[in-house]
C-alpha cells in the first residue's frame, strides 16, 4: 500500500548507501526532484541503473553519489556528452565510477524480465557487437526448439526504483501517460519504489487500458510539482531544451558544476520543483 | 541549375530521398531524424516513422532534440512502452529500414558509438550503443548518414558497437533472422554502398562538385569507387525550402523559453 | 498496409486449408462473424490456436474445420463443457481432432514471444504439473546466471490471426479497448491478419497510450457489425450470457448442433452480425 | 443462533472469511469468485481482486459468468493485456493469494482439471489448466474451494494439472521462487489444511452439524482430523443477506435479455 510521504522522508527511508537504484523516465518524466533529494541527503556508493543516464545521473555522479552506473546510452540528448560521467569514468573525479553497458534492447528486456519476476531476459541481440566482450553479463543460450543462438542478460531487480508520474489519486494509485518508457517495469521490478507526482487528485479519470500503477504495488508517493524539470511531464509542462543545452557548459568544468550544485541543489531547500 | 545549398543540405536531401514512401523506418536522433522527416514532408508522406521512445508513426512538426520529446508522442498514432517497442516492433520484424547516425564507421560499415581508444583506457568516451546494435540486425536494411571525415570513416573501428558486416565482411553470413544490414551510407560528399561480394563500402555516387580526391582525402581507408560512378542529383527548390523551414521552426522552438 | 475487404474476401484470401489460424479475444471481442465465415467457406484441416476455445472453436470443430487445437482452457465459461470439442476428442466426431494443451501463462507468453519475433518463450511455469508429460513442446532450460530451471515453450506464429476490434479509421488503424487479451500479440505474431471491426470512423479519437494496431501491421480489415456476438464489444454491446447457457443444450447433441449450424451459419448469408 | 443457511452458503462464507482485508487475490471463476466478492462486500472492502482476463483491482457489482465479463473491466482500476497479467502481476510476485476451484483434488492438494481416466483415452475430458498451474506456484499461498464428494476428493488425482504438494508431498521442497502452496481447502463440509510435516490435508474445522463420519464418507482417502478439531463459525445475518443479494443480482443479470 502506497504511503504518502514528503520527498525527504521517502528518500531517507528507501534509498540507502550502497543501494542499487533505478531512476527511470525515457527522456520524459525524469525524476529530477527526487535525484536532487538523493544528492542533498549525500547518499553514497549507489549502483545507478538507467537506460539513458541523462543529466540526472550526470548530476548524481558529479555529486559523488555513484559507485557504478549500468546504462545503455550515456549522452546529453541532442547536445553531446555527459561531462560528469566522462570525468568520472576517464579521470576518476570526484572518484572512480565503474560502468556496465548494454544496448537499449537488452536493458528494456532486462527491465521487462525484472517486472516479470524472471532471473534473465532473452532477446535476439548483440549479434556481431563487441559489447559482449566488455560486459560479462551478456551471455548466449540456445533455443531448445530451433537451436538459434539468443542473447541472455540478467534481469534488472533494483533495491529501489524512483519514477515521476502525472498524478496519484487519494488511494495512491498512479497514472503515467505519454512516453511511458520502462517506468512501470522499473517499479514492478524493484523491491521498493518511490513515485513522485505532479499532483494528487480525487479521480484519475482515465481510460480503460491506461498505464496505472496500483497503490499496492508502490511503497511511497511524494508530491513534487514540476518534479521532472528540465525534462517534462506530458499534460503539465514542456521539456526545457534550453537547460539541456546550457548543461553542456555547466557540466564541462568541475568548478562551474560544483558551483551549480551548491547553488541549485545542496543549498536549496527541498523544493516542490526540480531545481534547474 | 538548382539553388545554392550547403554540403549538409545535400547530405540531408540525399538521405531523405533514400527513404521510399510507405516505408516503415526506425529513426535515430540527429541527422537520420532530420532526413526522415524531410522525406515525410516531401516525397514520402506515408513513410512511417518510429522512434525508440515508443512513439509509433509519429509526425513531429519540429525536429525533436531528444529521442523522447513531447512532440513525438503528441503527434504519434500511439505510444507504447519501450520494452514493447524493442520486442514487438523492432525484434518482431515490423521495421523496413533502420536509419542510423554514428561517430565512427569502418570499411565494413561497422559502427562505433562507444569510445575512441581502448575500452579500459578510453581517449574519448562516447554515449554507447542505445538502440543501434539491434536496429542494425532486426531492421530489414540499414541506412547510415554522417559527415565525411578521416576521423569518422576509419579502416577499422576502435570498437564494434553495432555490426555492419563485421571485421571480415562476413558477420551476417549464415546467421538466421538477421536483416540485410547497411545498404547505403550517405555523407556530405558521396553515397557509398557495400560491394556485393566483399561487403566493403564503395562510393557509388559523388555529390555535385565533389571530386574523387576529396573523398579519398576524407576517408581513413583506401576507398574504392564504383565503375559506374554517378553524380548525386541536386536538391530541388521544394526540398530546400521545406528543409530550411523545418530547421528554422526547430531552432525557434528549441531556443525559445519553455513555458 | 491494411486493405478494406468484405469478410468473405478476407477469409477467402487469408485462410487456406491446412493453415494455422489463431482467432483470439479473451472472452471479450471473440471474432464469431469471422469464424462463421470460415465455416461457410468449408475450410478444412486447420490448426486452431486459442487460449480459450470457447464457443467459436466448438462451432468450428463441430463443423469439421479443425485438424488440431492448441489451447489452455477449453470450456464454456461459467457453464460447462464444450461438447463439440469433447465429442471430437473423445469420439472422433465429425472426425478426430488432435489437441495440444498448455497453461494460460505459457500460451500468453508464447503469443508474446511470437509478437516479439522470438522462437520461444521462457517462463517460471509448469512446476510440478504433469502437463509436460503430455505435451512434448514444453521443455526446460537453465538460467545461465542463476542456474534456475525455467520452462520454455515454442512461440506462437500463426499463418493467420483473426481478431475483432471496436473500430478502424479510414487509414486502417485499429483501436482495441477494454479486455485486450492477447489480440495485439496474435496479430503481430502472425504472417497475415484479418481484423473485423464494428465500424469505420474518421478519427479513432483516443488516448496517447491506447492499444492501436497501425494499418501497416494488418493485412485485411472487414466490417462486421456485432461481429463478436454472443461475446461482446466493450462500448457497443454486452455479452449474451443467455446464449452461452443455451449453447450447452445445442452443442450437447450432434443433430441439434447440425441443425443449428445449418440454420444459423451455413444457410445464412454472410451477415454483418455474428449469427447466434 | 444465526439464521438458516445452506451448505453452499456455509462454504462460501467460510471461504470469504479466509480472505483478509488488504490481500491481493488472483481469483478463479465460479466458487472462488463468489467467495472473494463476498469478502470484498463484507469484512474486506480493500481486498484487491485480480482476474486472469487482465482486470486489476476489479469490483464487479454482479458475479461474472466468464472470466472476462465486461463488468470486470468496467469496474477495474485498469485492464492490462493477458501476457502482462501473467508475467508482471502473477509471475512478478504481486499476488498474495491464489483462489482456485477444481474438479478433483487429492490428499496432497494436487488439482486435476484436465481429465478423468487416462490422458489418451479420457473417460471425461475437463477444460484443462487455464491459469491454475502458475497461480498455484507464483501466488504467495493458495486457497481452494470445492464441494465435498468422493468423486472430487480422491486419494490420487488422475492427472496433476496444478501442483499442490506433488505425489509425495515434497514437490515444493527446495524449489526456488515458489509460493507456499495450498494453505487451506474449504468445502461445504469442513476446512482442511496441509499437515506441517507430511503436507497431507487434515480436517481442522467441521461446519456446524457436520460429523466426522459425514466427511469420511465423502472423502476418497482415509482422511485425518486435527487433534484440536474446531467448529466453523456460522455465517452471520449480514454475510448471508449480502451473499443472497449478490446472487440474486447476478441471476437477474445473466438470465435477462442482453440489449
Amino acid at each position: 500500500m502506497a504511503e504518502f510521504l514528503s520527498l525527504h522522508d521517502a528518500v531517507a527511508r528507501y534509498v540507502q548507501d550502497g543501494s542499487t537504484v533505478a531512476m527511470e523516465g525515457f527522456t520524459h518524466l525524469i525524476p529530477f526532484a527526487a535525484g536532487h533529494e538523493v544528492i542533498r541527503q549525500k547518499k553514497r556508493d549507489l549502483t545507478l541503473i538507467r537506460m539513458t543516464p541523462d543529466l540526472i545521473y550526470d548530476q548524481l555522479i558529479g555529486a559523488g553519489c555513484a559507485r557504478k552506473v549500468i546504462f545503455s546510452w550515456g549522452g546529453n540528448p541532442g547536445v553531446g556528452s555527459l561531462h560528469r560521467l566522462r570525468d568520472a569514468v576517464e579521470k576518476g573525479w570526484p572518484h572512480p565510477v565503474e560502468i556496465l553497458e548494454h544496448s537499449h534492447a537488452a536493458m528494456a528486456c532486462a527491465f521487462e524480465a525484472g517486472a516479470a519476476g524472471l532471473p534473465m531476459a532473452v532477446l535476439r541481440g548483440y549479434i556481431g557487437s563487441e559489447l559482449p566482450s566488455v560486459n560479462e553479463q551478456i551471455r548466449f543460450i540456445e533455443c531448445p526448439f530451433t537451436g538459434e543462438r539468443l542473447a541472455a542478460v540478467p534481469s534488472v531487480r533494483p533495491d529501489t526504483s524512483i519514477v515521476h508520474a502525472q498524478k496519484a489519486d487519494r488511494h495512491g494509485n498512479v497514472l503515467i501517460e505519454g512516453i511511458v518508457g520502462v517506468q512501470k517495469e522499473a517499479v514492478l521490478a524493484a523491491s521498493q519504489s518511490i513515485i513522485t507526482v505532479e499532483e494528487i487528485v480525487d479521480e484519475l479519470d482515465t481510460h480503460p487500458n491506461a498505464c496505472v500503477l496500483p497503490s499496492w504495488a508502490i511503497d511511497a508517493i511524494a508530491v513534487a510539482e514540476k518534479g521532472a524539470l528540465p525534462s517534462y511531464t506530458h499534460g503539465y509542462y514542456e521539456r526545457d531544451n534550453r537547460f539541456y543545452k546550457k548543461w553542456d557548459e555547466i557540466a564541462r568544468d568541475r568548478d562551474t558544476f560544483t558551483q551549480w550544485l551548491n547553488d541549485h541543489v545542496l543549498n536549496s531547500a527541498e523544493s516542490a520543483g526540480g531545481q534547474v | 541549375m538548382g539553388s545554392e545549398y550547403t554540403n549538409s543540405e545535400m547530405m540531408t536531401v540525399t538521405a531523405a530521398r533514400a527513404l521510399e514512401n510507405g516505408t516503415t523506418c526506425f529513426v535515430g536522433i540527429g541527422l537520420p531524424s532530420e532526413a526522415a522527416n524531410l522525406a515525410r514532408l516531401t516525397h514520402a508522406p506515408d513513410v512511417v516513422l518510429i522512434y525508440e521512445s515508443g512513439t509509433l508513426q509519429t509526425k513531429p512538426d519540429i525536429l525533436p532534440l531528444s529521442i523522447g520529446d513531447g512532440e513525438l508522442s503528441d503527434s504519434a498514432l500511439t505510444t507504447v512502452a519501450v520494452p514493447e517497442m524493442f520486442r514487438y516492433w523492432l525484434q518482431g520484424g515490423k521495421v523496413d529500414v533502420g536509419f542510423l547516425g554514428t561517430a565512427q564507421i569502418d570499411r565494413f560499415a561497422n559502427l562505433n558509438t562507444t569510445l575512441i581508444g581502448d575500452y579500459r583506457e578510453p581517449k574519448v568516451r562516447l554515449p554507447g550503443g542505445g538502440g543501434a546494435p539491434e536496429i542494425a540486425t532486426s531492421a530489414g536494411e540499414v541506412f547510415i548518414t554522417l559527415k565525411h571525415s578521416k576521423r569518422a570513416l576509419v579502416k577499422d573501428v576502435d570498437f564494434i558497437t553495432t555490426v555492419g558486416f563485421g571485421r571480415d565482411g562476413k558477420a551476417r553470413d549464415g546467421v538466421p533472422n538477421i536483416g540485410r544490414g547497411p545498404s547505403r551510407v550517405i555523407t556530405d560528399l558521396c553515397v557509398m554502398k557495400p560491394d556485393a561480394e566483399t561487403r566493403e563500402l564503395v562510393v557509388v555516387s559523388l555529390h555535385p562538385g565533389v571530386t574523387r580526391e576529396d573523398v579519398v582525402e576524407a576517408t581513413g581507408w583506401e576507398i574504392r569507387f564504383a565503375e559506374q560512378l554517378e553524380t548525386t542529383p541536386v536538391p530541388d527548390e521544394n526540398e530546400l525550402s521545406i528543409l530550411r523551414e523545418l530547421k528554422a521552426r526547430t531552432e525557434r522552438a528549441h531556443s525559445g523559453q519553455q513555458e
Side-chain angles (χ1 to χ4, degrees), chain A, chain B:
Chain A
M1 213 63 181
E3 201 175 342
F4 290 98
L5 296 176
S6 71
L7 184 50
H8 174 278
D9 291 355
V11 168
R13 190 182 305 172
Y14 292 114
V15 181
Q16 307 306 326
D17 287 356
S19 286
T20 296
V21 179
M23 303 186 198
E24 265 299 341
F26 201 89
T27 312
H28 178 217
L29 291 174
I30 301 178
F32 274 94
H36 291 178
E37 185 57 32
V38 170
I39 293 173
R40 269 193 296 275
Q41 294 190 19
K42 299 200 182 341
K43 303 295 183 185
R44 288 294 177 268
D45 297 320
L46 302 179
T47 293
L48 294 174
I49 306 177
R50 218 182 117 74
M51 292 183 68
T52 59
D54 201 89
L55 275 47
I56 188 173
Y57 279 14
D58 215 31
Q59 295 168 2
L60 281 149
I61 292 163
C65 303
R67 187 182 65 75
K68 182 175 180 178
V69 183
I70 301 175
F71 71 102
S72 42
W73 192 85
N76 179 344
V79 178
S81 290
L82 292 176
H83 299 292
R84 296 297 96 226
L85 171 62
R86 282 184 55 178
D87 203 13
V89 171
E90 295 170 19
K91 310 224 171 73
W93 191 92
H95 55 67
V97 164
E98 191 187 336
I99 58 172
L100 189 72
E101 63 187 312
H102 279 286
S103 67
H104 275 352
M107 273 198 85
C109 289
F111 271 106
E112 199 273 348
L118 291 172
M120 65 154 169
V122 173
L123 68 153
R124 183 176 292 118
Y126 291 120
I127 301 171
S129 171
E130 291 174 357
L131 283 165
S133 70
V134 298
N135 179 343
E136 63 170 19
Q137 300 227 311
I138 303 166
R139 306 211 180 142
F140 293 89
I141 63 169
E142 196 177 277
C143 170
F145 304 101
T146 62
E148 185 178 349
R149 184 171 175 265
L150 297 165
V153 294
S155 61
V156 169
R157 309 290 312 254
D159 295 321
T160 304
S161 283
I162 305 178
V163 305
H164 187 69
Q166 273 89 354
K167 52 190 169 183
D169 67 21
R170 296 189 194 285
H171 305 288
N173 304 302
V174 168
L175 175 70
I176 306 180
E177 210 166 43
I179 291 178
V180 294
V182 294
Q183 283 101 299
K184 180 192 248 186
E185 287 75 14
V187 170
L188 297 182
S191 306
Q192 302 170 331
S193 59
I194 301 172
I195 303 189
T196 57
V197 294
E198 289 295 326
E199 59 175 336
I200 293 169
V201 297
D202 288 332
E203 293 285 338
L204 293 182
D205 187 25
T206 186
H207 50 85
N209 306 113
C211 178
V212 174
L213 284 166
S215 178
W216 41 271
I218 302 164
D219 291 288
I221 296 174
V223 174
E225 227 182 293
K226 301 212 165 161
L229 267 181
S231 90
Y232 70 105
T233 297
H234 174 94
Y236 288 78
Y237 46 88
E238 292 183 12
R239 191 170 189 265
D240 188 351
N241 281 329
R242 283 216 314 188
F243 184 81
Y244 271 85
K245 290 178 174 173
K246 198 171 128 199
W247 183 252
D248 193 65
E249 290 162 44
I250 297 169
R252 198 177 282 273
D253 178 82
R254 290 177 188 170
D255 292 341
T256 323
F257 166 75
T258 304
Q259 188 65 50
W260 179 88
L261 197 70
N262 282 329
D263 293 350
H264 291 90
V265 180
L266 292 172
N267 298 326
S268 166
E270 176 191 339
S271 75
Q275 291 294 325
V276 296
Chain B
M1 55 173 309
S3 9
E4 299 222 0
Y5 54 84
T6 67
N7 288 353
S8 277
E9 286 170 339
M10 181 72 212
M11 171 169 64
T12 303
V13 168
T14 307
R17 286 178 177 178
L19 214 50
E20 283 176 38
N21 196 19
T23 304
T24 299
C25 178
F26 201 111
V27 188
I29 204 68
L31 294 178
S33 171
E34 192 174 312
N37 279 289
L38 179 60
R40 183 175 61 78
L41 295 169
T42 54
H43 69 281
D46 295 326
V47 70
V48 172
L49 305 188
I50 294 180
Y51 288 73
E52 66 196 18
S53 51
T55 48
L56 281 177
Q57 198 171 331
T58 180
K59 302 180 174 185
D61 188 49
I62 57 167
L63 295 173
L65 181 66
S66 80
I67 199 80
D69 278 17
E71 178 75 7
L72 291 174
S73 170
D74 291 345
S75 66
L77 176 64
T78 192
T79 298
V80 301
V82 167
E84 179 180 323
M85 176 54 82
F86 281 98
R87 289 176 74 79
Y88 291 4
W89 300 94
L90 179 60
Q91 186 177 269
K94 306 300 179 196
V95 173
D96 299 321
V97 175
F99 212 143
L100 299 174
T102 186
Q104 261 191 350
I105 184 171
D106 68 17
R107 65 196 193 285
F108 289 120
N110 301 301
L111 310 183
N112 175 17
T113 53
T114 301
L115 82 171
I116 308 298
D118 175 71
Y119 191 81
R120 297 292 158 202
E121 297 284 342
K123 263 183 270 177
V124 182
R125 176 65 226 193
L126 301 166
E134 284 76 19
I135 294 173
T137 53
S138 288
E141 63 185 312
V142 180
F143 297 168
I144 298 152
T145 180
L146 79 163
K147 294 212 176 187
H148 217 123
S149 82
K150 230 175 180 121
R151 200 173 47 84
L153 286 87
V154 297
K155 188 173 181 208
D156 295 289
V157 287
D158 291 17
F159 186 89
I160 299 183
T161 312
T162 299
V163 75
F165 300 101
R167 297 280 179 199
D168 59 0
K170 302 185 196 307
R172 288 174 193 264
D173 298 358
V175 176
N177 301 307
I178 194 167
R180 288 167 50 208
S183 55
R184 67 183 79 193
V185 178
I186 301 115
T187 76
D188 50 347
L189 299 184
C190 65
V191 177
M192 292 171 280
K193 293 189 176 182
D195 179 271
E197 293 290 310
T198 66
R199 311 293 187 179
E200 188 173 311
L201 289 174
V202 173
V203 178
V204 296
S205 177
L206 287 175
H207 298 342
V210 176
T211 65
R212 289 180 183 231
E213 291 63 38
D214 293 337
V215 173
V216 167
E217 194 61 33
T219 305
W221 71 89
E222 286 185 42
I223 184 79
R224 293 196 300 120
F225 295 83
E227 285 180 25
Q228 303 277 328
L229 188 63
E230 302 193 351
T231 300
T232 318
V234 297
D236 68 28
E237 291 286 359
N238 183 49
E239 287 166 324
L240 286 172
S241 76
I242 287 177
L243 175 59
R244 286 164 189 170
E245 282 163 29
L246 175 63
K247 296 193 76 163
R249 275 202 305 280
T250 300
E251 186 55 36
R252 277 197 303 278
H254 290 176
S255 61
Q257 180 61 51
Q258 303 296 316
E259 46 114 27

